Amino acid sequence: MNRDQTNGNADQLKGELKKQYGKLTNNESKEAEGNMDKVKGQAKEKWGDAKEALSKTFNNRRD
């Protein structure tokens, strides 16, 4: 697991917490902010997945 994947997971968790807080307090702005954080986290995680796959492919061909 690389740093982008870890940061992506953390952003998704942070986003979910903000989203739930927004729902609990009827704060639509905070809920939307949480959704955006989740999307940002998913993008980071996908970027990390792509980097990981590229690294594995490169290392396998080198061996």
Side-chain angles (χ1 to χ4, degrees):
M1 185 170 255
N2 62 35
R3 184 175 303 201
D4 291 314
Q5 290 169 317
T6 303
N7 288 341
N9 284 333
D11 284 345
Q12 287 180 61
L13 177 60
K14 180 176 74 171
E16 183 61 31
L17 291 173
K18 280 185 185 179
K19 180 180 169 186
Q20 293 303 321
Y21 175 76
K23 282 184 178 182
L24 182 66
T25 60
N26 273 342
N27 185 338
E28 291 180 7
S29 175
K30 191 59 76 175
E31 194 174 339
E33 190 179 321
N35 284 330
M36 290 301 296
D37 283 346
K38 283 182 71 171
V39 169
K40 182 176 76 170
Q42 289 169 347
K44 278 185 186 178
E45 187 176 6
K46 293 293 182 190
W47 175 249
D49 291 345
K51 285 173 50 177
E52 193 77 21
L54 184 61
S55 175
K56 284 181 182 178
T57 300
F58 178 75
N59 287 335
N60 286 342
R61 291 188 185 243
R62 225 176 69 193
D63 291 340

